[in-house]
Amino acid sequence: MKVLISGASGLIGTEVARQLTAQGHQAIKLVRRPAKSADELFWAPGVTPLDPSSLTDIDAVVNLAGATTGKIPWSKRYEKELIASRLDSTKTLVDAINACPN
């Protein structure tokens, strides 16, 4: 199975990618810098759309993207950033999935 993972550099995302790879699956990591390997795909949620053609052979998507919840205390401004980061990443993924031909 080929699994696309957003938030793959975080604590949970790193482990999800590791376990998928250990089970013989291919973990494709969404990154916010230029992709450096075949298992990475650049994206900029909320800024640029994700190319739907890059998802044509993806079997599953795991969305773990978003600002860290570990930054405490949460100010009103940071609460808005937490929410926006999750909404932007989810909308970017949903738009690309909906535009994908299969």
Side-chain angles (χ1 to χ4, degrees), residues 19-59:
Q19 287 192 27
L20 284 168
T21 303
Q23 293 174 13
H25 302 291
Q26 187 177 3
I28 305 299
K29 302 165 193 140
L30 287 169
V31 296
R32 295 177 191 220
R33 53 161 171 72
K36 295 180 181 175
S37 63
D39 70 339
E40 293 183 342
L41 180 63
F42 171 77
W43 79 323
V47 179
T48 58
L50 184 59
D51 180 10
S53 68
S54 63
L55 306 181
T56 54
D57 58 348
I58 296 295
D59 299 302

Side-chain angles (χ1 to χ4, degrees), residues 38-96:
D39 70 339
E40 293 183 342
L41 180 63
F42 171 77
W43 79 323
V47 179
T48 58
L50 184 59
D51 180 10
S53 68
S54 63
L55 306 181
T56 54
D57 58 348
I58 296 295
D59 299 302
V61 176
V62 177
N63 183 13
L64 299 170
T68 182
T69 57
K71 184 179 175 181
I72 296 176
W74 293 356
S75 64
K76 290 291 181 189
R77 181 177 173 194
Y78 193 68
E79 276 186 54
K80 289 179 183 179
E81 183 180 333
L82 283 169
I83 293 167
S85 69
R86 283 155 178 76
L87 291 175
D88 289 345
S89 61
T90 301
K91 182 173 181 355
T92 300
L93 283 169
V94 169
D95 289 347

